[in-house]
C-alpha cells in the first residue's frame, strides 16, 4: 500500500501543511484512469480516500465532476446521504475515492444530566453547567456511516463549505473519523464553486483545516446555548404563571442576536408613534414654456417660521421678474452595481423581487449545490485581478434575453466595479454556468444573479445634466434637466430606473415672468417603518449576526410572534415583543441594543484570526451575561409590569424565578464533580440529594420522611474545609428528632454536625469514599441508611477489634439484612428465637477486651489521643448556646473515616487522669451534636448516676435537652452507646420526675404524671422505640419500619402465634385449614 506518512504530521488530527500540500499538488491530478483500466484499480494496491461534503447535493456534484459522470452509487446507513465511489489518481497513485456527506452540523452542544430538563435546575446555573458536544439523535446513522467508511480508508479529504460553519463541520467530521482511526491523514479542500476548474484548484492546493475558525464557532455555539437556554427558561416559566390566560402555551425564547433584531423594529416603531409633525413653509415658482410647465425649487428649501417665509414671499411678488443668472451643463453618470455579496443579495431580493431573505438564501444554496452559481455566503464584493471573467460571461451569450448584451460585453472586455470588502475565502456571488431549465423563484433568483453579474462587468450609464438658476428680487431658485446619452448597464439591469427629464432651453441673462409664485404649507412626515432590507442593513451596520445568519434571526422573531409584517412589507412589533423590550429596558440593561452582541462578534473575529484565546472570550462573555441575568431575575417584576399593559393584570407569584423544583447547588458531587441539589421524589413523599449528572452519575443521598423541608442556604459551612459546602435549612416533623435538635434547623450535612447526620441516618462522603457512597444509595432506601452503613464500614477499617452482626435462623430480616455491619468493641448476634434488628428490645451483649487506649488517654507527650490511636484535634464550639467558645477534642480524620471520640478540653488532666470525663460527655457537643461516646472500657466517673444503668447493664449517660419546649435545659439519662452500635431504648429523667419540668405545661397537655419518652436509634435497619418509664409511651426515632413497643420499655413481649379461625389450632390460617 502507498505510504503517505511523509506527507502528513502524525498527531491525533493529522493534517497536511500548506507548503507541503502545494509542493505535491502538481501530482494530484496526473491522470484520470480510463474506463478500460477501471478493473485494475480495484486491486489491493489502491489507496482508499474518504471525501466528505457538507450536503448530499454537493457530494453528488463533486463526484460527478471528479469521475466525469462514471461513479457508482450505493446506500449509506442514512437514506438521505448516499455514497459515491469511483477510481481516481491522486498523489501519483491509483486511488479508490469514496464521496459521502453530512447534513450540516453533525454534533451539537447540549447540557448534561438534569440540566437538560426545564425544571432540572435554576436557570442561572446554566451559565456554569457542564456541556458536551454530542451527535444529534437524527444524525447517528450519518456518524455510523463515517465511522464505517473511515476504518477502511487511509486519507480523509474535507469538502465542506469554506466559511466558519463549514470549518467547524469539517472538524466534527475529523473528530468522528480519527476516533476510530487515529492515524488517518486529513486534508482540507478549499473551493468557492463546484466547477471542474474550482475542484482542480482545490485538489492542487490541499491544506490544513483552520482550528481558529472552528474554535470561534464552538464559542458562539456554547454561548448561544447557555444564554438562550437561561433566559428562555426564565421568561417562559415565569410569564406562564404571571399571565396564564395568554401565555400558557407560548415559548418565549431569547437569543443574543434575535433580541437586538427585535429591538431595531421596536425602536423604529416607537419613533413613528412618538413623532409629532411640524409645519413648514416654502416658496414655489411655476413657469410655462412651449406648452410645458416646470417648477423651480427654492434654494432655501423650507422655513419653519411662517412670518419669515411670508416676508420673503411678499418681497418676491413685489418684483416678480425672473432673471437667469447661471446655466451649468455637465456629464452625469449612474453607477453600475458593485459585485454581489450575501447581504446585498438578501436586500435586493427583498426590495426588487419581493422574496424574503430566508427563502432567498435557501434557493441560493440549492443553486450553488447544483453548480449554477458560486458559494452564496460571502462577505467579498471585489473580484481578484486574476479572476477569469471572460469565460463566465461567455457562458451567458446563448440566452435569448441577455445573450446579445453578454456578447457585446465580451467584445469590449468585462470591467467589474469592485467594492472594498473581502473575506479572503470566496469571490463575489456570480453564475458558474448557464441554464434555462429553472422554474419559479429559482429562475428569478438565478436571473437576478446573472443580470447583476453582467451589469457589474459593464459600464456606467452616461447622461448630460443641465442646471438653470434664476433670481427673483434676490431670492434664488433652480431647476435641473437630464438627457441620457448611453444606457450601458441599464440595458441588462431592469431593477434600476434612470429617466430623462426635459426642460426648456434657457440662456444666461434671459428674463421672464413666472406663471405663478406661491407660498405653500406642509408638514414633516415620520420615518417609515422598517422593511426587511432596512433591517438587514441595520444588522450589518451594528454587527448583529453574520451574513449567513441574518435571515435566520429575522425568521425567528417572526415565528415567535415578536413582530409582524404588514401587507406592504413593513415590520411592526407584536404585543409580546414590545412588552419584553420595554421590560428589559426598564431594568437598566438595554438588552435590545446591539452593544453586547456586537462585542461578541468582534471577539469571534479575533479568535478566527488567532488574535484572541477562545477560553478567555468564553469566560468573559459568560460572566457578562450571567450578571445581566442575575439582575434581570432580581427585577423581574418590571417585566411583569411592562407586559401587563398588553395582557391585563399580572398574577402574583413568589420567588425570583417562580420555578418549582429549583434548588441552589449544595456542593460538587464527590463522584463526578457536577452540582448536587436537593430534589423532591416524584410521588412527593420525601426529599433526596441528587447529582445533576443523573442518569450517568447515580450518586445520591435519601433523607428520611421526617424531613418536611430542606432548602440550601446561601451561606457556606466554615467548618468543612477543602470543599465548598452550603448549609441546609431543615424543617422536621414535630417529635421526629431528638429533643436537642429544633424542628427548624440550619446546619451542615458534611459531617461537622454529627448529631444531624445521625438523626438523618446519613454520612456525607469525601472524594476518597465516593465508590462506596455512590453504590450505597438505592431508590429502595427511605432514609439514606445505606450511606451510613458504608461509611461505618470504611470508618471501622482502622479498629483493632471488629466483629459482624448476623441474623440467625428464625429472625425477621430488614431490607438490608445482607449488609455486613462492622461495630466497634462490641458484638451483637441475633440467634434462634430472637427478634430481628429494628424490633428487638433485648440483645445478647458480649464485652470484648479493648485493645486500644482508653477514651481520652494521653501519650507520653501529654497529648490527647483518640480511639484511632492518633493525636486528637483541638476545636472550638462556634454555635450560639451555653457552650459557645468552649474547646473540645475530636478525631482528626475525615468524616467518613473518623472515630466517635469527643472530649471537652477543660475536662482533661495533663497527668493522664480522666476525672470528670464522663460528666463532660453529658454536656452539649458542638453544633447541637449527639455525644458520640462509646461503651467505655473503664468505670465512668459521673457523680449522681453511679447506680443508674441502662437496659444493656452499663452505666447510663447524662444528657441535657437543648430543644425549645417545656423540658429545655432538663437533664436525662440514656444508653451511652451510639445509636448504630446497639444502643438500647433506656430513658429516665435525672430529676426523678417523669413529666415536664413545668407542671402547668403538663396539665395543659392532659398528660399523666408518669409520662416518659424513649428515644431509640436502630443499629442499621429499623429504629427501636422504647418507653422511658414503667408507664411511659414509647417514641421510636429509628430509620425504617417502626413498631410501637410494649409499655414495659425494653422488656418486649414475644409475639403470639396466630390461630386458625375455623378449627382454633395454631400453625395455619382459615384459608389453608385442612378441616374445610
Amino acid at each position: 500500500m502507498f505510504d503517505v506518512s511523509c506527507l502528513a504530521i502524525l498527531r491525533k488530527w493529522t493534517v497536511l501543511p500548506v507548503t507541503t500540500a502545494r509542493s505535491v499538488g502538481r501530482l494530484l491530478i496526473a491522470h484520470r484512469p480510463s474506463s478500460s483500466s477501471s478493473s485494475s484499480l480495484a486491486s489491493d494496491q489502491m489507496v482508499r480516500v474518504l471525501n466528505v461534503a457538507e450536503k448530499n447535493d454537493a457530494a453528488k456534484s463533486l463526484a460527478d465532476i471528479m469521475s466525469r459522470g462514471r461513479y457508482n452509487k450505493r446506500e449509506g446507513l442514512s437514506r438521505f446521504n448516499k455514497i459515491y465511489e469511483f477510481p481516481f489518481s491522486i498523489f501519483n497513485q491509483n486511488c479508490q475515492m469514496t464521496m459521502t456527506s453530512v447534513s450540516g452540523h453533525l454534533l451539537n452542544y447540549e447540557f448534561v444530566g438534569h440540566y437538560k430538563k426545564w425544571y432540572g435546575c435554576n436557570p442561572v446555573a446554566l451559565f456554569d453547567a457542564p456541556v458536551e458536544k454530542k451527535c444529534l439523535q437524527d444524525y447517528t446513522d450519518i456518524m455510523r456511516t463515517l465511522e464505517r467508511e473511515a476504518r477502511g480508508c487511509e486519507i480523509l479529504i474535507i469538502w465542506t463549505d469554506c466559511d466558519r460553519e463549514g470549518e467547524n463541520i469539517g472538524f466534527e467530521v475529523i473528530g468522528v473519523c480519527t476516533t476510530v482511526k487515529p492515524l488517518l491523514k486529513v486534508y482540507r479542500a478549499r473551493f468557492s464553486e463546484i466547477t471542474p476548474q474550482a475542484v482542480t484548484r482545490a485538489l492542487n492546493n490541499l491544506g490544513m483545516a483552520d482550528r481558529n475558525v472552528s474554535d470561534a464557532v464552538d464559542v458562539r455555539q456554547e454561548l448561544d446555548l447557555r444564554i438562550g437556554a437561561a433566559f428562555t427558561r426564565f421568561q417562559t416559566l415565569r410569564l406562564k404563571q404571571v399571565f396564564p390566560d395568554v401565555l400558557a402555551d407560548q415559548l418565549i425564547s431569547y437569543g443574543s442576536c434575535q433580541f437586538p433584531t427585535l429591538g431595531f423594529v421596536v425602536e423604529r416603531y416607537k419613533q413613528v408613534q412618538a413623532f409629532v409633525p411640524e409645519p413648514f413653509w416654502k416658496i414655489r415658482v411655476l413657469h410655462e414654456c412651449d406648452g410645458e410647465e416646470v417648477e423651480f425649487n427654492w434654494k432655501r428649501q423650507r422655513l419653519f417660521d411662517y412670518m419669515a417665509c411670508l416676508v420673503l414671499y411678499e418681497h418676491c411678488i413685489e418684483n416678480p421678474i425672473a432673471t437667469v443668472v447661471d446655466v451649468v451643463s455637465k456629464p452625469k453618470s449612474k453607477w453600475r452595481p458593485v459585485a454581489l455579496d450575501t447581504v446585498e443579495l438578501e436586500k435586493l431580493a427583498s426590495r426588487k423581487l419581493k422574496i424574503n431573505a430566508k427563502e432567498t438564501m435557501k434557493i441560493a444554496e440549492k443553486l450553488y449545490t447544483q453548480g449554477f452559481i458560486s458559494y452564496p455566503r460571502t462577505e467579498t464584493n471585489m473580484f481578484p485581478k486574476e479572476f477569469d471573467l471572460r469565460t463566465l460571461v461567455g457562458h451567458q451569450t446563448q440566452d435569448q434575453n441577455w445573450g446579445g448584451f453578454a456578447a457585446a460585453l465580451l467584445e469590449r472586455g468585462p470591467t467589474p466595479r469592485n467594492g472594498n470588502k473581502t473575506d479572503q475565502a470566496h469571490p463575489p456571488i456570480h453564475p458558474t454556468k448557464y441554464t434555462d431549465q429553472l422554474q419559479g423563484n429559482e429562475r428569478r433568483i438565478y436571473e437576478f444573479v446573472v443580470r447583476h453579474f453582467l451589469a457589474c462587468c459593464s459600464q456606467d450609464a452616461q447622461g448630460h445634466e443641465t442646471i438653470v438658476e434664476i433670481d427673483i428680487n434676490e431670492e434664488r431658485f433652480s431647476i435641473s434637466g437630464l438627457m441620457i446619452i448611453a444606457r450601458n448597464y441599464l440595458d441588462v439591469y431592469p431593477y434600476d430606473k434612470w429617466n430623462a427629464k426635459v426642460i426648456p432651453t434657457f440662456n444666461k441673462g434671459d428674463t421672464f415672468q413666472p406663471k405663478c409664485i406661491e407660498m405653500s404649507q406642509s408638514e414633516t412626515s415620520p420615518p417609515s417603518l422598517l422593511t426587511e432590507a432596512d433591517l438587514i442593513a441595520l444588522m450589518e451596520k451594528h454587527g448583529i449576526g453574520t451574513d449567513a445568519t441574518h435571515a435566520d434571526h429575522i425568521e425567528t422573531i417572526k415565528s415567535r410572534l415578536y413582530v409582524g409584517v404588514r401587507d406592504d412589507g413593513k415590520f411592526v412589533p407584536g404585543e409580546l415583543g414590545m412588552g419584553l423590550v420595554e421590560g428589559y429596558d426598564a431594568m437598566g440593561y438595554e438588552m435590545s441594543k446591539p452593544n453586547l452582541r456586537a462585542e461578541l462578534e468582534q471577539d469571534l473575529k479575533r479568535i478566527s484570526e488567532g488574535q484572541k484565546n477562545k477560553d478567555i472570550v468564553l469566560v468573559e462573555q459568560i460572566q457578562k451575561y450571567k450578571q445581566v441575568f442575575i439582575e434581570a431575575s432580581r427585577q423581574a417584576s418590571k417585566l411583569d409590569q411592562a407586559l401587563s399593559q398588553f395582557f391585563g393584570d399580572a398574577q402574583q407569584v413568589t420567588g425570583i424565578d417562580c420555578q418549582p423544583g429549583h434548588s441552589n447547588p449544595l456542593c460538587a458531587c464527590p463522584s463526578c464533580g457536577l452540582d448536587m441539589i436537593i430534589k423532591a421524589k416524584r410521588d412527593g413523599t420525601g426529599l433526596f440529594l441528587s447529582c445533576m449528572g443523573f442518569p450517568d452519575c447515580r450518586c445520591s443521598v435519601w433523607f428520611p420522611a421526617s424531613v418536611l423541608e430542606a432548602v440550601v442556604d446561601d451561606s457556606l459551612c466554615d467548618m468543612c474545609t477543602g470543599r465548598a459546602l452550603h448549609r441546609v435549612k431543615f424543617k422536621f416533623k414535630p417529635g421526629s428528632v431528638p429533643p436537642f435538635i429544633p424542628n427548624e434547623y440550619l446546619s451542615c450535612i458534611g459531617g461537622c454536625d454529627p448529631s444531624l447526620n445521625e438523626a438523618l441516618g446519613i454520612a456525607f462522603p469525601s472524594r476518597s469514599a465516593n465508590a462506596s457512597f455512590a453504590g450505597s444509595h438505592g431508590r429502595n432506601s427511605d432514609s439514606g441508611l445505606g450511606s451510613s452503613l458504608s461509611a461505618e464500614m470504611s470508618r471501622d477499617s482502622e479498629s483493632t477489634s471488629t466483629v459482624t452482626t448476623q441474623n440467625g435462623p428464625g429472625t425477621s430480616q430488614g431490607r438490608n439484612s445482607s449488609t455486613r455491619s462492622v461495630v466497634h468493641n462490641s458484638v451483637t448476634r441475633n440467634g434462634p428465637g430472637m427478634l430481628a434488628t429494628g424490633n428487638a428490645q433485648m440483645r445478647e451483649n458480649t464485652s470484648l477486651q479493648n485493645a486500644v487506649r482508653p477514651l481520652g488517654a494521653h501519650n507520653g507527650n501529654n497529648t490527647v489521643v483518640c480511639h484511632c490511636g492518633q493525636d486528637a484535634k483541638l476545636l472550638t464550639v462556634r454555635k450560639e448556646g451555653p457552650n459557645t467558645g468552649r474547646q473540645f477534642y475530636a478525631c482528626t480524620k475525615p468524616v467518613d473515616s473518623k472515630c466517635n471520640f469527643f472530649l471537652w478540653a477543660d475536662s482533661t488532666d495533663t497527668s493522664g487522669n480522666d476525672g470528670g470525663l464522663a460528666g463532660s460527655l453529658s454536656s452539649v457537643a458542638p453544633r447541637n451534636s449527639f455525644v458520640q461516646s462509646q461503651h467505655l472500657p473503664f468505670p465512668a466517673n459521673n457523680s449522681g448516676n453511679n447506680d443508674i444503668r441502662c437496659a444493656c447493664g452499663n452505666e447510663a449517660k447524662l444528657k441535657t435537652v437543648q430543644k425549645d419546649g417545656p423540658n429545655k435545659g432538663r437533664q436525662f439519662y440514656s444508653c451511652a452507646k451510639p445509636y448504630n452500635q446497639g444502643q438500647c431504648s433506656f430513658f429516665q429523667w435525672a430529676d426523678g420526675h417523669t413529666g415536664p419540668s413545668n407542671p402547668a405545661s403538663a396539665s395543659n397537655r392532659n398528660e399523666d404524671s408518669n409520662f416518659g419518652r424513649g428515644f431509640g436509634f436502630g443499629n442499621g435497619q429499623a429504629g427501636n422505640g422504647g418507653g422511658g418509664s414503667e408507664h411511659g409511651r414509647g417514641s421510636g426515632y429509628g430509620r425504617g419500619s417502626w413498631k410501637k413497643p410494649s409499655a414495659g420499655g425494653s422488656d418486649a413481649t414475644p409475639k403470639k402465634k396466630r390461630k386458625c379461625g375455623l378449627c382454633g389450632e395454631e400453625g395455619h390460617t382459615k384459608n389453608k385449614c385442612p378441616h374445610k
Side-chain angles (χ1 to χ4, degrees), residues 346-393:
E346 293 173 334
K347 293 193 297 184
L348 291 174
S350 178
R351 285 177 180 154
K352 309 296 184 181
L353 305 179
K354 307 304 179 184
I355 303 175
N356 66 60
K358 183 73 173 178
E359 180 70 12
T360 297
M361 294 311 299
K362 180 180 179 181
I363 294 173
E365 287 278 359
K366 184 175 181 181
L367 295 175
Y368 159 69
T369 56
Q370 293 174 339
F372 295 136
I373 66 173
S374 63
Y375 188 60
R377 301 186 185 275
T378 177
E379 298 177 4
T380 302
N381 61 2
M382 52 190 301
F383 286 103
K385 292 182 179 180
E386 65 278 6
F387 202 80
D388 187 6
L389 296 172
R390 296 187 66 87
T391 301
L392 297 175
V393 174

Coordinates of all heavy atoms in Angstrom, one line a residue, residues 346-393:
E346 N -29.5 39.5 -0.2 CA -30.7 39.5 0.6 C -31.5 40.7 0.5 O -32.8 40.7 0.3 CB -30.3 39.2 2.1 CG -29.7 37.8 2.3 CD -29.2 37.7 3.7 OE1 -28.8 38.7 4.3 OE2 -29.1 36.6 4.2
K347 N -30.8 41.9 0.5 CA -31.6 43.2 0.5 C -32.2 43.4 -0.9 O -33.4 43.8 -1.0 CB -30.6 44.3 0.8 CG -30.1 44.3 2.2 CD -29.4 45.6 2.6 CE -28.2 45.9 1.8 NZ -27.5 47.2 2.2
L348 N -31.5 43.2 -2.0 CA -32.0 43.4 -3.3 C -33.1 42.4 -3.7 O -34.1 42.8 -4.3 CB -30.9 43.4 -4.3 CG -29.9 44.5 -4.2 CD1 -28.7 44.3 -5.2 CD2 -30.5 45.8 -4.5
A349 N -33.0 41.2 -3.2 CA -34.1 40.2 -3.5 C -35.3 40.6 -2.8 O -36.4 40.4 -3.3 CB -33.6 38.8 -3.1
S350 N -35.2 41.2 -1.6 CA -36.3 41.6 -0.8 C -37.0 42.8 -1.4 O -38.2 42.9 -1.5 CB -35.9 41.9 0.6 OG -37.0 42.4 1.4
R351 N -36.1 43.8 -1.9 CA -36.7 45.0 -2.5 C -37.2 44.9 -3.9 O -38.3 45.3 -4.2 CB -35.6 46.1 -2.4 CG -35.3 46.7 -1.1 CD -34.2 47.7 -1.2 NE -33.9 48.3 0.1 CZ -32.7 48.7 0.5 NH1 -31.7 48.7 -0.4 NH2 -32.5 49.3 1.7
K352 N -36.4 44.2 -4.7 CA -36.7 44.2 -6.1 C -37.6 43.0 -6.5 O -38.5 43.1 -7.4 CB -35.4 44.1 -7.0 CG -34.4 45.2 -6.6 CD -34.8 46.6 -6.9 CE -33.7 47.6 -6.6 NZ -34.2 49.0 -6.9
L353 N -37.3 41.8 -5.9 CA -38.0 40.6 -6.3 C -39.2 40.3 -5.3 O -39.9 39.4 -5.6 CB -37.1 39.4 -6.3 CG -35.9 39.6 -7.3 CD1 -35.0 38.4 -7.2 CD2 -36.3 39.9 -8.7
K354 N -39.2 41.0 -4.1 CA -40.2 40.7 -3.1 C -40.1 39.2 -2.6 O -41.1 38.6 -2.3 CB -41.6 41.0 -3.6 CG -41.8 42.4 -4.2 CD -41.4 43.5 -3.2 CE -41.6 44.9 -3.8 NZ -41.1 45.9 -2.8
I355 N -38.9 38.7 -2.5 CA -38.7 37.4 -1.9 C -37.9 37.6 -0.6 O -36.9 38.3 -0.6 CB -37.8 36.5 -2.9 CG1 -38.5 36.4 -4.2 CG2 -37.6 35.1 -2.3 CD1 -37.7 35.6 -5.3
N356 N -38.4 37.0 0.5 CA -37.8 37.3 1.8 C -36.4 36.7 1.8 O -36.1 35.8 1.1 CB -38.7 36.8 2.9 CG -38.9 35.3 2.9 OD1 -37.9 34.5 3.0 ND2 -40.1 34.9 2.8
A357 N -35.6 37.1 2.8 CA -34.2 36.7 2.9 C -34.1 35.2 3.2 O -33.2 34.6 2.6 CB -33.5 37.5 4.0
K358 N -34.9 34.7 4.0 CA -34.8 33.2 4.3 C -35.0 32.4 3.0 O -34.2 31.5 2.8 CB -35.9 32.9 5.3 CG -35.9 31.4 5.8 CD -34.7 31.1 6.7 CE -34.8 29.8 7.2 NZ -33.6 29.4 8.1
E359 N -36.0 32.7 2.2 CA -36.3 32.0 1.0 C -35.2 32.2 0.0 O -34.8 31.3 -0.7 CB -37.7 32.4 0.4 CG -38.1 31.7 -0.9 CD -38.4 30.3 -0.7 OE1 -38.5 29.8 0.5 OE2 -38.5 29.5 -1.7
T360 N -34.7 33.4 0.0 CA -33.6 33.8 -1.0 C -32.4 32.9 -0.7 O -31.8 32.3 -1.7 CB -33.2 35.2 -0.9 OG1 -34.4 36.0 -1.3 CG2 -32.1 35.6 -1.8
M361 N -32.0 32.8 0.5 CA -30.8 32.0 0.9 C -31.0 30.5 0.7 O -30.1 29.8 0.3 CB -30.3 32.3 2.3 CG -29.9 33.7 2.5 SD -28.6 34.3 1.3 CE -27.3 33.1 1.6
K362 N -32.2 30.1 0.9 CA -32.5 28.7 0.7 C -32.4 28.3 -0.8 O -31.8 27.3 -1.2 CB -33.9 28.4 1.2 CG -34.3 26.9 1.0 CD -35.7 26.7 1.5 CE -36.2 25.3 1.3 NZ -37.6 25.0 1.8
I363 N -32.9 29.2 -1.7 CA -32.8 29.0 -3.1 C -31.3 29.1 -3.6 O -30.9 28.3 -4.4 CB -33.7 30.0 -3.9 CG1 -35.2 29.7 -3.5 CG2 -33.4 29.9 -5.4 CD1 -36.1 30.7 -4.1
A364 N -30.6 30.1 -3.1 CA -29.2 30.3 -3.5 C -28.4 29.1 -3.1 O -27.5 28.7 -3.8 CB -28.7 31.6 -2.8
E365 N -28.6 28.5 -1.9 CA -27.9 27.3 -1.5 C -28.1 26.2 -2.5 O -27.2 25.4 -2.8 CB -28.3 26.9 -0.1 CG -27.8 27.8 1.0 CD -26.3 27.4 1.4 OE1 -25.8 26.5 0.8 OE2 -25.8 28.1 2.3
K366 N -29.4 26.0 -2.9 CA -29.7 24.9 -3.8 C -29.0 25.2 -5.2 O -28.5 24.2 -5.8 CB -31.2 24.8 -4.0 CG -31.7 23.7 -4.9 CD -33.2 23.6 -4.9 CE -33.6 22.4 -5.7 NZ -35.1 22.3 -5.8
L367 N -29.1 26.4 -5.7 CA -28.4 26.7 -7.0 C -26.9 26.5 -6.9 O -26.3 26.0 -7.8 CB -28.7 28.2 -7.3 CG -30.1 28.5 -7.7 CD1 -30.3 30.0 -7.9 CD2 -30.7 27.7 -8.9
Y368 N -26.3 26.7 -5.7 CA -24.9 26.5 -5.5 C -24.6 25.0 -5.6 O -23.6 24.6 -6.3 CB -24.5 27.1 -4.2 CG -23.2 26.5 -3.6 CD1 -21.9 26.8 -4.2 CD2 -23.2 25.8 -2.5 CE1 -20.8 26.3 -3.7 CE2 -22.0 25.2 -2.0 CZ -20.8 25.5 -2.6 OH -19.7 25.0 -2.1
T369 N -25.3 24.2 -4.8 CA -25.0 22.8 -4.8 C -25.3 22.1 -6.2 O -24.7 21.1 -6.5 CB -25.9 22.1 -3.8 OG1 -27.3 22.3 -4.0 CG2 -25.5 22.5 -2.4
Q370 N -26.1 22.8 -7.0 CA -26.4 22.3 -8.4 C -25.3 22.8 -9.4 O -25.3 22.4 -10.5 CB -27.8 22.7 -8.8 CG -28.9 22.0 -8.1 CD -30.2 22.5 -8.5 OE1 -30.4 23.6 -9.0 NE2 -31.3 21.7 -8.2
G371 N -24.4 23.7 -8.9 CA -23.4 24.1 -9.7 C -23.7 25.3 -10.6 O -23.0 25.6 -11.5
F372 N -24.9 26.0 -10.4 CA -25.3 27.1 -11.2 C -24.7 28.4 -10.8 O -24.5 29.3 -11.6 CB -26.8 27.2 -11.3 CG -27.4 26.0 -11.9 CD1 -28.6 25.4 -11.4 CD2 -26.9 25.5 -13.1 CE1 -29.2 24.3 -11.9 CE2 -27.5 24.4 -13.7 CZ -28.7 23.8 -13.1
I373 N -24.5 28.6 -9.5 CA -23.9 29.9 -9.0 C -22.8 29.5 -8.0 O -22.6 28.4 -7.6 CB -24.9 30.8 -8.3 CG1 -25.4 30.1 -7.0 CG2 -26.1 31.1 -9.3 CD1 -26.3 31.1 -6.2
S374 N -22.0 30.5 -7.7 CA -20.9 30.3 -6.7 C -21.4 30.3 -5.3 O -22.6 30.5 -5.1 CB -19.8 31.4 -6.9 OG -20.4 32.7 -6.6
Y375 N -20.5 30.1 -4.3 CA -21.0 30.0 -3.0 C -21.7 31.3 -2.5 O -21.1 32.4 -2.6 CB -19.7 29.7 -2.1 CG -20.1 29.4 -0.6 CD1 -20.9 28.3 -0.3 CD2 -19.7 30.2 0.4 CE1 -21.2 28.0 1.0 CE2 -20.0 30.0 1.7 CZ -20.8 28.9 2.0 OH -21.1 28.6 3.3
P376 N -22.9 31.2 -2.0 CA -23.7 32.4 -1.8 C -23.5 33.0 -0.4 O -24.1 34.1 -0.2 CB -25.2 31.8 -1.9 CG -25.1 30.4 -1.4 CD -23.7 29.9 -1.8
R377 N -22.7 32.5 0.4 CA -22.4 33.1 1.7 C -21.0 33.7 1.7 O -20.0 33.0 2.0 CB -22.6 32.1 2.8 CG -24.0 31.5 2.9 CD -24.2 30.6 4.1 NE -25.5 29.9 4.1 CZ -26.6 30.4 4.6 NH1 -26.6 31.7 5.1 NH2 -27.7 29.8 4.5
T378 N -20.9 34.9 1.3 CA -19.6 35.5 1.2 C -19.7 37.0 1.6 O -20.7 37.6 1.4 CB -19.1 35.4 -0.3 OG1 -17.8 36.1 -0.4 CG2 -20.0 36.0 -1.3
E379 N -18.6 37.5 2.1 CA -18.6 38.9 2.5 C -17.8 39.7 1.5 O -17.5 40.9 1.6 CB -17.9 39.1 3.9 CG -18.7 38.4 5.0 CD -18.1 38.5 6.3 OE1 -17.0 39.2 6.4 OE2 -18.6 38.0 7.3
T380 N -17.3 39.1 0.4 CA -16.5 39.7 -0.6 C -17.3 40.4 -1.7 O -18.2 39.8 -2.2 CB -15.5 38.6 -1.2 OG1 -14.8 38.0 -0.2 CG2 -14.6 39.3 -2.2
N381 N -16.9 41.6 -2.0 CA -17.6 42.3 -3.1 C -16.6 42.9 -4.1 O -16.8 43.9 -4.7 CB -18.5 43.4 -2.6 CG -17.8 44.5 -1.8 OD1 -16.6 44.4 -1.7 ND2 -18.6 45.4 -1.3
M382 N -15.5 42.1 -4.3 CA -14.5 42.6 -5.2 C -13.8 41.3 -5.9 O -13.5 40.4 -5.2 CB -13.4 43.4 -4.6 CG -12.8 42.8 -3.3 SD -11.7 44.0 -2.4 CE -10.5 44.4 -3.6
F383 N -13.8 41.3 -7.2 CA -13.2 40.2 -8.0 C -11.7 40.3 -8.0 O -11.1 41.4 -8.2 CB -13.7 40.2 -9.4 CG -15.1 39.7 -9.5 CD1 -16.1 40.6 -9.8 CD2 -15.4 38.4 -9.4 CE1 -17.4 40.2 -9.9 CE2 -16.7 37.9 -9.6 CZ -17.8 38.8 -9.8
P384 N -10.9 39.2 -7.7 CA -9.5 39.3 -7.9 C -9.1 39.6 -9.3 O -9.8 39.4 -10.3 CB -9.0 37.9 -7.5 CG -10.2 37.3 -6.7 CD -11.4 37.9 -7.3
K385 N -7.9 40.2 -9.4 CA -7.4 40.6 -10.8 C -7.3 39.4 -11.7 O -7.5 39.5 -12.9 CB -6.1 41.4 -10.7 CG -6.3 42.7 -10.0 CD -4.9 43.5 -9.9 CE -5.1 44.8 -9.2 NZ -3.8 45.5 -9.2
E386 N -6.9 38.3 -11.1 CA -6.6 37.1 -12.0 C -7.9 36.3 -12.3 O -7.8 35.2 -12.9 CB -5.6 36.2 -11.3 CG -6.0 35.6 -10.0 CD -5.8 36.5 -8.8 OE1 -5.5 37.7 -9.0 OE2 -6.0 36.0 -7.7
F387 N -9.0 36.8 -11.8 CA -10.3 36.0 -11.9 C -10.7 36.0 -13.4 O -10.7 37.0 -14.1 CB -11.4 36.7 -11.1 CG -12.5 35.7 -10.8 CD1 -12.4 34.9 -9.7 CD2 -13.7 35.8 -11.5 CE1 -13.4 34.0 -9.4 CE2 -14.7 34.9 -11.2 CZ -14.6 34.0 -10.1
D388 N -11.1 34.8 -13.9 CA -11.4 34.6 -15.3 C -12.9 35.0 -15.5 O -13.8 34.2 -15.5 CB -11.2 33.1 -15.7 CG -11.4 32.9 -17.2 OD1 -11.6 33.9 -17.9 OD2 -11.4 31.7 -17.6
L389 N -13.1 36.3 -15.8 CA -14.4 36.8 -16.0 C -15.0 36.5 -17.4 O -16.2 36.3 -17.6 CB -14.5 38.3 -15.8 CG -14.2 38.7 -14.3 CD1 -14.0 40.3 -14.3 CD2 -15.3 38.3 -13.4
R390 N -14.0 36.5 -18.4 CA -14.5 36.3 -19.8 C -15.2 35.0 -20.0 O -16.2 34.9 -20.7 CB -13.3 36.4 -20.8 CG -12.6 37.8 -20.8 CD -11.6 37.9 -21.9 NE -12.1 37.8 -23.2 CZ -12.6 38.8 -23.9 NH1 -12.5 40.0 -23.4 NH2 -13.1 38.6 -25.1
T391 N -14.7 33.9 -19.4 CA -15.3 32.6 -19.5 C -16.7 32.6 -19.0 O -17.6 32.0 -19.5 CB -14.4 31.5 -18.9 OG1 -13.1 31.5 -19.4 CG2 -15.0 30.2 -19.0
L392 N -16.8 33.2 -17.8 CA -18.1 33.3 -17.2 C -19.1 34.1 -18.0 O -20.3 33.7 -18.1 CB -18.0 33.9 -15.8 CG -17.1 33.1 -14.8 CD1 -17.0 33.8 -13.4 CD2 -17.7 31.7 -14.5
V393 N -18.7 35.2 -18.6 CA -19.6 36.0 -19.4 C -19.9 35.2 -20.7 O -21.1 35.2 -21.2 CB -18.9 37.3 -19.8 CG1 -19.7 38.1 -20.8 CG2 -18.7 38.2 -18.5

